[in-house]
Amino acid sequence: MSRLIIEASTPLCLLQDAGRFGVRHLGVTQGGALDWVSMSWANWLLDNALDAPVVEITLGGFTVQAEDYCLLALAGADLGAYIDERAISPGRSFILQKGQRLRFTQPFNGARAYLAAPGGFDAPPVLGSCATVVRESLGGVDGFGKALAEGARLSYSGTGGAMKVLANPDLPSAASLDVIIGAQIGQFSGQSLFDAFNTEWALDSRADRMGMRLLGTPLHYQGPSLISEGIPLGAIQVPPDGQPIVLLNDRQTIGGYPRLGALTPLSLARLAQCLPGATLKLAPMMQPGAHAQHLRFLAQYANP
Amino acid sequence: MKPRIEVVAIDCLMVRLFEVIAEANMPWMLAATQRLRAGFGPALVDLVPSYTTLMVHYDLTALTPAQARELIDQALTDLQPQAQGSGQCHVLPVWYDLSVGPELILLAQRSGLAVDEVIRRHSAHEYQVFALGFAPGFAFMGLVDEILATPRLDTPRKRVAAGSVGIAERQTAAYPVVSPGGWNLIGRTPAKLFDRERDGYSLMQPGDTVRFEAVDHAEFIHLGGDDTPLEAQA
């Protein structure tokens, strides 16, 4: 077993995997890495299962010291990471010798970095997943939903892994996000449908793992009030103020605001790397095209 | 009944069975749930029931959207309502008291009933569990006697104690864990509503029925209840 001790952390540094499934009908949220693409690459770099438990570091402020020789991998945002005094860029596996420190300072490109270890970091699966959901007291290193805290330890037991580098570690542009149109989209005004897909949206600072608010021309829903129904990942709901909210991994399981549809998973991964103030456009997409695009993307992990 | 199927995400389809909330929906919802679980088998990731809808989340590496639609169509062909009593029936003990259920007064004032009569009416009905949401194990139940229907508080409480039993419009629920909340509180149950160690995790499942049973303070404590008054916990 190899271990790391956490010397600095924030409430935004969390153990995550792909999330909790098969329990949504009990009111249990999904959780899981917001940028699942970067989580998958971090695991790919070590020949792990793509959904093995990783550390999601949002914005920086995270430092670990190796208590043993450790093989690790980093993907996703450039959060100004250093091994002792030497800068390390994302998109590679690397060695941390006993006593060496890995620290994340501040965001230079993107918002979320993913740190992986051989076989995944050790954590007890709770309701089938290690994903940390603080609000539900589920997951994480202790199983009770705590964020990673100073003084706690991370360990892994896997012995495999490889020294690999991603050919293209850059984050894709988030200037345009694909929306699978559906749900109540037919009951928004014609002008609102035009505005939704032809005007710019700015990412509000009111953003967390439950949802991100988009600021722009208010959208008008003209249909009847809704009875609460299941909410999928990436759903774009429009509350009465007309400012859309993209619902993310820690969203509530049912809700009653009208929706335009849902972002594609690939677009959600790009959105997860945006900081407040970022501007973006929404582009309509049909479900079959999005499905084909998604399968093509997944094939890359088998043959990058 | 002709359910509608709507696209809601890359791997989710909404099956819309009804337009209004009614207890009579439940036998149909249960039958559809059972058929869909059997029809999709391991390709089903999640099935999220709510009052009038079932959201089918399927494995997009196993099925195309067209195949998923076809499976839903097949599963719902010649659907028959499930016999009553197929869900479990739970009895939840409740200590109805002003110290843990301060809106008993408000409900009595609004309805013109005595507090005891408010309690009697709340505990007289066998409620349907329409959906779980808001928090793990939080069951939306109904329908509450029309005379007790009361809108949510204008300002939600920052902290509602675990076990608190409340009313919002014609729905009733119990809070599984401490959380913020805007429901009108009328009492507290000692029942453990969500338990990660229990098979099935949640005490109540969609389609179950629930009856509330008034217990006195001694019985509430005996059953493991926490009688800390609401204000003291703020």
Side-chain angles (χ1 to χ4, degrees), chain A residues 51-299:
Chain A
D51 60 355
V54 296
V55 177
E56 177 178 89
I57 301 144
T58 303
L59 303 179
F62 187 72
T63 304
V64 288
Q65 186 184 22
E67 295 189 324
D68 311 279
Y69 165 98
C70 291
L71 178 61
L72 301 169
L74 184 60
D78 179 355
L79 299 182
Y82 289 84
I83 297 175
D84 290 338
E85 299 310 315
R86 177 169 54 90
I88 175 173
S89 58
R92 66 193 65 246
S93 41
F94 60 94
I95 287 160
L96 207 57
Q97 298 289 354
K98 183 176 176 176
Q100 281 191 314
R101 282 185 176 78
L102 172 68
R103 71 194 159 94
F104 296 82
T105 57
Q106 57 178 302
F108 288 96
N109 183 26
R112 293 179 168 86
Y114 292 87
L115 182 67
F121 287 105
D122 295 329
V126 181
L127 279 60
S129 162
C130 304
T132 310
V133 180
V134 177
R135 184 180 86 241
E136 295 184 348
S137 304
L138 297 175
V141 172
D142 68 347
F144 288 90
K146 298 265 191 335
L148 295 170
E150 185 186 327
R153 281 181 170 77
L154 287 164
S155 68
Y156 66 86
S157 311
T159 51
M163 294 296 283
K164 292 206 277 192
V165 177
L166 288 184
N168 180 14
D170 296 340
L171 295 170
S173 163
S176 176
L177 301 179
D178 298 321
V179 182
I180 297 156
I181 58 173
Q184 291 78 31
I185 193 164
Q187 294 171 79
F188 283 83
S189 73
Q191 182 64 44
S192 287
L193 291 184
F194 180 85
D195 290 340
F197 298 111
N198 292 281
T199 62
E200 254 187 3
W201 296 97
L203 204 58
D204 192 14
S205 58
R206 284 172 292 177
D208 58 22
R209 290 183 45 88
M210 288 179 77
M212 292 191 189
R213 194 176 283 259
L214 305 180
L215 301 177
T217 311
L219 304 180
H220 299 290
Y221 171 71
Q222 299 176 320
S225 74
L226 292 186
I227 296 168
S228 282
E229 58 188 42
I231 309 176
L233 178 63
I236 303 181
Q237 72 172 19
V238 182
D241 70 1
Q243 303 289 281
I245 303 172
V246 182
L247 294 169
L248 302 178
N249 297 57
D250 289 7
R251 69 196 180 282
Q252 292 190 359
T253 56
I254 60 175
Y257 287 130
R259 307 184 307 276
L260 296 170
L263 287 186
T264 63
L266 287 167
S267 291
L268 281 165
R270 303 205 296 271
L271 177 65
Q273 294 295 356
C274 293
L275 294 171
T279 55
L280 52 89
K281 281 192 160 185
L282 300 175
M285 197 175 205
M286 303 295 281
Q287 191 191 32
H291 181 253
Q293 177 200 52
H294 192 83
L295 293 188
R296 280 197 304 276
F297 184 85
L298 290 183

Side-chain angles (χ1 to χ4, degrees), chain B residues 131-147:
Chain B
L132 275 71
F134 174 66
F138 186 101
F140 292 87
M141 297 175 255
L143 292 169
V144 170
D145 191 330
E146 225 163 344
I147 200 167

Side-chain angles (χ1 to χ4, degrees), chain A residues 22 26 137 143 183 228-229 291, chain B residues 7 9 16 46 50 60 63 137 196:
Chain A
L26 305 177
S137 304
S228 282
E229 58 188 42
H291 181 253
Chain B
V7 173
R16 198 171 295 286
D46 265 302
S50 189
L60 86 178
L63 299 172
R196 60 168 75 195

Side-chain angles (χ1 to χ4, degrees), chain B residues 5-194:
Chain B
I5 303 173
E6 300 166 4
V7 173
V8 290
I10 194 169
D11 50 5
C12 294
L13 293 167
M14 190 71 75
V15 182
R16 198 171 295 286
L17 291 116
F18 298 99
E19 299 299 329
V20 296
I21 298 175
E23 291 177 340
N25 295 354
M26 291 316 291
W28 293 94
M29 299 282 289
L30 286 172
T33 298
Q34 207 168 61
R35 289 266 198 96
L36 288 166
R37 285 198 182 280
F40 277 78
L44 187 70
V45 176
D46 265 302
L47 186 62
V48 192
S50 189
Y51 303 89
T52 55
T53 52
L54 291 163
M55 189 175 80
V56 177
H57 178 187
Y58 58 88
D59 178 356
L60 86 178
T61 65
L63 299 172
T64 64
Q67 288 169 330
R69 267 177 191 274
E70 180 60 31
L71 280 179
I72 294 173
D73 276 336
Q74 283 171 15
L76 300 185
T77 302
D78 300 324
L79 190 68
Q80 293 300 317
Q82 204 165 85
Q84 287 293 348
S86 49
Q88 272 195 65
C89 179
H90 308 274
V91 177
L92 291 189
V94 180
W95 178 43
Y96 294 95
D97 189 84
L98 285 174
S99 66
V100 294
E103 273 81 60
L104 276 171
I105 296 282
L106 175 71
L107 265 68
Q109 282 169 350
R110 283 178 53 100
S111 62
L113 303 172
V115 166
D116 283 351
E117 181 61 13
V118 170
I119 295 168
R120 196 194 66 76
R121 292 208 185 196
H122 183 256
S123 53
H125 189 68
E126 186 168 305
Y127 299 101
Q128 298 272 354
V129 175
F130 290 116
L132 275 71
F134 174 66
F138 186 101
F140 292 87
M141 297 175 255
L143 292 169
V144 170
D145 191 330
E146 225 163 344
I147 200 167
L148 300 181
T150 307
R152 288 169 174 79
L153 302 176
D154 287 338
T155 309
R157 289 187 170 87
K158 288 203 174 68
R159 191 183 157 90
V160 171
S164 293
V165 175
I167 287 178
E169 303 296 352
R170 292 194 65 193
Q171 300 184 77
T172 184
Y175 287 80
V177 292
V178 176
S179 59
W183 291 43
N184 300 281
L185 304 184
I186 57 173
R188 200 177 288 176
T189 178
K192 190 156 190 188
L193 301 167
F194 192 84

